């Protein structure tokens, strides 16, 4: 028997949630309606971090243990308050991509069975020029969140020396994401080179603990500084986005002073709304004082002069239905 739909108030709108009692996370018993209410509760902070940007929706029609697919383009029947913007993909193809401008649009995405929100590092009005420098600190086998913490702290110092103010959040899994607001004066390749320069400097300072090695066989038990997240159409879970893991974790912004005293599992769909009410949003005002990447580009040019050039690019798989499964980059998978 079909479950009766629920009309959920979101600001001045009402969003229809069909199958509201469908369980998305079986372990904690979190339903589709629970997730919609979560987005209402965190709506302002979520939109401050992810709104106004091209965004990809990771959708799970049968819950996080079932099949999934990615949506970039506006689906048929999208309401008029959900807009799109043309963006250029790495292939050179241009196509409209979704943009969320208000909490009701995020709740509508939940109605479309979205669990994870992947925003671009650029704004919809200037999608070719990132306004965020993003670095993913990814613990490799044999390392964990505790190993990512000192790497993030030292990365903060590196970026500060380059004139950038950085912000940190949990990935929602074992890693950390470090963001720095930047002026949208450079296109993606320049920002990638700035990220590589920062990553190499971090690696020089912590060679036993972090690595920029793209091939997984070469990383060892270190934290991988994922420079390829800076590429066009490469995205990571946005701030306050849920993740499709059993305990319903959230990619949660942190204050730098919190970093050594928290566990990623503390931040879930069930706990983050109360955290926002009591602690506030550590990323509030993040975009108020963007920096420039000129210093980092100077480091890049210095490294190029010293024989360090471009690093490998990832294979370009579209995040759409039927795409090949994503795997860790391995020389075993490299085409001859």
């Amino acid at each position: 028997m079909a479950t009766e739909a629920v009309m959920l108030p979101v600001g001045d709108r009402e969003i229809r949630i069909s199958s509201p009692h469908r369980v998305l996370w079986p372990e904690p018993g979190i339903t589709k309606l629970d997730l919609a209410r979560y987005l209402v509760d965190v709506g302002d902070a979520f939109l401050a971090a992810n709104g106004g940007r091209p965004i990809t929706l990771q959708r799970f029609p049968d819950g996080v243990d079932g099949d999934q697919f990615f949506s970039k383009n506006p689906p048929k029947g999208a309401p008029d308050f959900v807009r799109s913007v043309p963006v250029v993909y790495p292939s050179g193809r241009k196509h409209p991509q979704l943009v969320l401008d208000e909490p009701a649009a995020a709740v509508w995405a939940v109605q479309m069975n979205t669990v994870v929100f992947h925003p671009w590092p650029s704004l919809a009005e200037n999608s070719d020029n990132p306004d965020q420098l993003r670095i993913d600190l990814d613990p490799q086998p044999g390392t964990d969140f505790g190993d990512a913490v000192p790497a993030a702290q030292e990365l903060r110092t590196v970026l500060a020396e380059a004139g950038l103010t950085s912000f940190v959040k949990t990935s929602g899994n074992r890693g950390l994401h470090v963001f720095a607001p930047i002026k949208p004066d450079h296109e993606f390749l320049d920002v990638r080179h700035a990220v590589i320069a920062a990553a190499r400097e971090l690696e020089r300072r912590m060679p036993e603990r972090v690595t920029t090695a793209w091939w997984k066989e070469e990383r060892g038990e270190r934290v991988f500084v994922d420079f390829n997240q800076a590429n066009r159409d490469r995205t990571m879970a946005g701030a306050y986005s849920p993740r499709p893991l059993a305990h319903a974790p959230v990619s949660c912004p942190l204050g730098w002073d919190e970093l050594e005293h928290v566990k990623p599992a503390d931040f879930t769909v069930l706990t983050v709304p109360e955290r926002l009410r009591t602690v506030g949003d550590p990323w509030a005002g993040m975009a108020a004082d963007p920096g420039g990447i000129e210093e980092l580009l100077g480091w890049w040019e210095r490294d190029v002069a010293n024989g360090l050039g471009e690093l490998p690019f990832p294979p370009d798989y579209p995040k759409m239905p039927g795409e090949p499964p994503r795997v860790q980059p391995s020389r075993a998978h490299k085409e001859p």
Side-chain angles (χ1 to χ4, degrees), residues 131-135 159 164-167 178-183 286 290-291:
D131 70 333
Q132 292 176 339
L133 181 147
R134 302 174 171 182
I135 299 178
L159 294 175
L164 297 176
T165 301
S166 53
F167 297 77
V178 176
F179 282 34
I182 59 175
K183 299 172 185 176
M286 175 180 173

Side-chain angles (χ1 to χ4, degrees), residues 62 71 98 115 121 124 147 159 195 209 258 262-263 302 327:
D62 299 310
S71 289
L98 289 162
V115 169
D147 297 291
L159 294 175
V195 166
R209 306 185 74 171
E258 297 182 278
V262 299
K263 297 180 295 184
R302 175 201 64 196
V327 296

Side-chain angles (χ1 to χ4, degrees), residues 79-98:
D80 57 9
F81 58 86
V82 176
R83 67 176 171 124
S84 62
V85 63
V87 298
V88 177
Y89 298 126
S91 64
R93 181 175 59 90
K94 181 179 285 190
H95 208 281
Q97 183 134 357
L98 289 162

Side-chain angles (χ1 to χ4, degrees), residues 145-318:
F145 181 79
D147 297 291
V149 169
Q153 292 168 327
E154 186 61 32
L155 179 57
R156 182 191 187 192
T157 299
V158 168
L159 294 175
E161 291 174 10
L164 297 176
T165 301
S166 53
F167 297 77
V168 67
K169 67 182 178 74
T170 64
S171 68
N173 196 353
R174 300 187 308 129
L176 286 166
H177 297 160
V178 176
F179 282 34
I182 59 175
K183 299 172 185 176
D185 298 335
H186 294 270
E187 52 88 25
F188 276 88
L189 187 60
D190 286 340
V191 176
R192 169 190 163 88
H193 290 162
V195 166
I196 291 173
R200 281 175 167 156
E201 181 60 27
L202 180 63
E203 185 178 36
R204 278 190 283 266
R205 298 184 187 191
M206 306 179 74
E208 302 302 318
R209 306 185 74 171
V210 306
T211 180
T212 60
W214 177 243
W215 305 111
K216 67 177 184 178
E217 295 91 344
E218 299 173 1
R219 295 177 186 172
E221 293 186 2
R222 292 178 287 182
V223 174
F224 173 49
V225 188
D226 191 350
F227 52 87
N228 269 324
Q229 293 293 353
N231 291 3
R232 181 185 291 272
D233 196 33
R234 291 282 157 168
T235 57
M236 56 183 74
Y240 299 106
S241 173
R243 301 301 305 275
L245 301 177
H247 62 291
V250 165
S251 182
C252 187
L254 301 174
W256 283 104
D257 59 345
E258 297 182 278
L259 199 52
E260 292 182 337
H261 311 293
V262 299
K263 297 180 295 184
D266 293 337
F267 309 112
T268 73
V269 169
L270 299 177
T271 65
V272 166
E274 180 61 21
R275 169 183 163 83
L276 264 177
R277 285 189 287 269
T278 57
V279 176
D281 180 11
W283 282 20
M286 175 180 173
D289 187 24
I293 64 171
E294 288 74 20
E295 183 71 19
L296 288 175
L297 291 178
W299 297 2
W300 163 262
E301 294 296 339
R302 175 201 64 196
D303 288 345
V304 169
N306 289 332
L308 296 174
E310 190 61 85
L311 289 174
F313 286 82
D316 181 26
Y317 293 145

Side-chain angles (χ1 to χ4, degrees), residues 1-8 15-22 31-33 37 111:
M1 180 182 295
T3 304
E4 185 177 352
V6 170
M7 299 303 295
L8 183 65
I15 305 300
R16 181 180 182 272
I17 305 296
S18 61
S19 303
H21 303 300
R22 176 185 296 152
T31 67
K32 184 176 178 180
L33 181 59
R37 287 173 171 157
Q111 162 58 17

